[in-house]
Amino acid sequence: MASSAPEINEETMAMRVVAALRDEIVTMALKPGDVISESDIAGRYGVSRQPVREAFIRLAQQGLLLIRPKRATVVKKISPDGVRQSRFIRESIEVEIIRRVAGDPGPEAAEVLAGLIADQELASAAHDSRRFHILDELFHRSLARLAGVEYAWQLIDDHKMQLDRVRYLTLGVSSSQRAIAEHKRIAEAVAKGDPLAAEAAMRDHLARAEVLLTQTIEDFPDYFE
């Protein structure tokens, strides 16, 4: 039993490195085309190279890193097709989530969503894009929780990294204000117990991904495949 402890610890460290590097890639602290090395990352996070190697493999499987044998590992450029597939997966699941929530919103739904939107407005007013991104995620994850299917959000989260990179590039004040307005439409439909209106609002909200993709390809052509 004792012999498994180092493996568990190494696995935990690998997951922490995955989470940290994924955050840096999504938020553009690490940009498409940037070169990274196992030794540099190990030194930065104070771990051995083995968990970093495992983290690199997982991030490569998620389409965020390109590991080239005997050559430098680089942050992959954004795949437009990957963004569109991410949106398809997300919309397919979230439409079912919002139907369930609006069909039976329960006593806490309206208050929870209103509180999250109020926090988003504060983050937008403060020009705090990072906090707004976190609160945006929490809004959608909370819908899954209210629907009683929080695991469904984990499935979405596992497949939306490419989409997140595009969203982060466009998360200025005007973009965040539009997102807030769309969240309010969703919340109002939920409060009224109107699944059809809630579904329409969610589809309109998620359809913005295609507009954002076109915009970011024009603004940051070097970031895309």
Side-chain angles (χ1 to χ4, degrees), residues 8 12 30 33 78 91-92 101 111 123 134 144-145 156 160 163-164 186 193 202 218:
I8 294 172
T12 300
L30 285 172
I78 302 169
E91 185 171 330
S92 299
V101 176
E111 184 178 352
I134 292 169
R145 180 182 65 78
I156 294 170
K160 68 182 182 65
L163 181 57
D164 281 345
I186 294 167
M202 181 62 79
E218 290 177 358

Side-chain angles (χ1 to χ4, degrees), residues 52-222:
V52 174
R53 187 172 298 117
E54 292 176 16
F56 277 19
I57 292 170
R58 294 182 194 189
L59 290 166
Q61 291 169 343
Q62 294 173 2
L64 297 179
L65 291 182
L66 177 62
I67 300 174
R68 303 178 297 181
K70 299 182 179 179
R71 297 174 63 191
T73 295
V74 299
V75 178
K76 280 196 75 172
K77 293 190 175 186
I78 302 169
S79 162
D81 184 59
V83 173
R84 293 186 177 101
Q85 291 194 43
S86 295
R87 180 204 156 186
F88 176 82
I89 292 168
R90 181 169 185 175
E91 185 171 330
S92 299
I93 297 173
E94 286 215 68
V95 163
E96 292 303 318
I97 287 172
I98 200 64
R99 283 177 184 159
R100 180 177 292 198
V101 176
D104 183 17
E108 66 168 327
E111 184 178 352
V112 167
L113 298 180
L116 288 167
I117 290 169
D119 288 342
Q120 290 167 15
E121 289 178 324
L122 290 174
S124 178
H127 302 272
D128 190 340
S129 294
R130 184 172 180 79
R131 177 157 175 74
F132 183 85
H133 181 76
I134 292 169
L135 290 166
D136 187 327
E137 298 271 297
L138 185 56
F139 180 86
H140 290 271
R141 186 167 72 246
S142 295
L143 288 171
R145 180 182 65 78
L146 291 165
V149 290
E150 194 163 7
Y151 179 68
W153 177 255
Q154 186 59 53
L155 293 177
I156 294 170
D157 194 49
D158 288 343
H159 292 90
K160 68 182 182 65
M161 281 81 72
Q162 300 286 8
L163 181 57
D164 281 345
R165 297 166 85 188
V166 170
R167 289 175 60 238
Y168 210 91
L169 282 169
T170 59
L171 208 55
V173 174
S174 61
S175 179
S176 62
Q177 285 297 315
R178 179 160 187 157
I180 288 168
E182 292 168 355
H183 286 170
K184 286 180 177 178
R185 270 189 68 204
I186 294 167
E188 286 166 5
V190 169
K192 292 176 182 176
D194 187 339
L196 290 178
E199 178 184 340
M202 181 62 79
R203 286 191 187 277
D204 286 347
H205 180 50
L206 297 179
R208 284 279 298 157
E210 189 64 36
V211 177
L212 296 179
L213 177 59
T214 300
Q215 178 184 332
T216 49
I217 290 173
E218 290 177 358
D219 293 343
F220 305 96
D222 291 343

